[in-house]
Amino acid sequence: MGFKVEIERKFLVNIEKLPQLPKGHRLTQGYLSFGPKATVRVRTEEAEDDSENIAYITIKGSGLVGRDEFEYNIPDNEAQQLLKLAQAALVTKRRFILPVEGLPELKWELDIFDGENEGLVVAEIELPHQDFDFPHPVWLGKDVTEDPAYKNAALAQHPYKNW
């Protein structure tokens, strides 16, 4: 939590090649601000087990591969109120965490979208640096890292179902 530089790669997913998925979390996120310098997001994370919901407020700088990110936990009840202030449609999805073969310090975040973005499945990986080499599992599809249409903030404004 706090400040970091996020270096992330994003890929489409061949769902028919996916392994058995572990338990996931339901994510709901809304955007309070879209700007050329920064985007402000509120996210709630609901576990499939009986654990408590987690909520965050995140400020992300501009960029597609590497960008500044500030993220802080906030109370769930405050997040629910902030989501009502979203400037576009809420983005909802189920997130599954998958290991990266041979690199236990890394993980895949697999998102299966629903609602206005139903049908979209993407996987993201955060890397220590932009040129970091990592294994590409068989279920990984096209690299969409540099396509801004696949950013969650863009999906809130221009949902996948309208493409």
Side-chain angles (χ1 to χ4, degrees):
M1 294 285 132
F3 172 75
K4 71 177 181 178
V5 175
E6 177 187 61
I7 299 169
E8 184 176 77
R9 304 293 302 182
K10 185 178 292 199
F11 298 84
L12 296 179
V13 172
N14 298 315
I15 56 173
E16 54 281 340
K17 294 182 180 181
L18 279 172
Q20 178 78 26
L21 294 176
K23 287 189 176 195
H25 294 85
R26 178 155 178 75
L27 303 180
T28 301
Q29 52 197 53
Y31 291 85
L32 305 181
S33 172
F34 302 99
K37 288 188 174 185
T39 300
V40 180
R41 175 188 75 202
V42 172
R43 172 187 283 166
T44 61
E45 184 176 317
E46 182 182 324
E48 289 186 342
D49 57 21
D50 292 331
S51 60
E52 289 187 29
N53 291 353
I54 302 169
Y56 310 92
I57 189 162
T58 307
I59 302 163
K60 289 191 177 197
S62 63
L64 294 171
V65 179
R67 58 188 170 162
D68 290 347
E69 178 181 274
F70 302 83
E71 186 168 71
Y72 305 95
N73 285 94
I74 60 173
D76 183 59
N77 63 325
E78 291 181 22
Q80 297 301 328
Q81 293 302 313
L82 286 167
L83 286 172
K84 294 176 184 178
L85 303 175
Q87 299 296 305
L90 297 180
V91 173
T92 58
K93 57 190 175 181
R94 297 196 76 69
R95 173 165 285 173
F96 303 89
I97 305 301
L98 302 173
V100 175
E101 186 177 326
L103 297 170
E105 69 277 14
L106 300 180
K107 65 184 178 207
W108 289 103
E109 293 178 339
L110 177 82
D111 291 339
I112 300 176
F113 290 82
D114 53 32
E116 297 293 300
N117 294 294
E118 186 171 352
L120 181 60
V121 181
V122 299
E124 299 174 351
I125 185 171
E126 286 194 27
L127 302 170
H129 58 81
Q130 284 189 336
D131 299 325
F132 190 82
D133 191 29
F134 57 93
H136 290 62
V138 297
W139 46 263
L140 212 57
K142 179 183 175 185
D143 184 338
V144 294
T145 303
E146 296 188 32
D147 186 340
Y150 288 96
K151 289 175 71 171
N152 283 268
L155 293 169
Q157 297 170 87
H158 307 287
Y160 184 69
K161 77 172 194 172
N162 296 334
W163 293 11

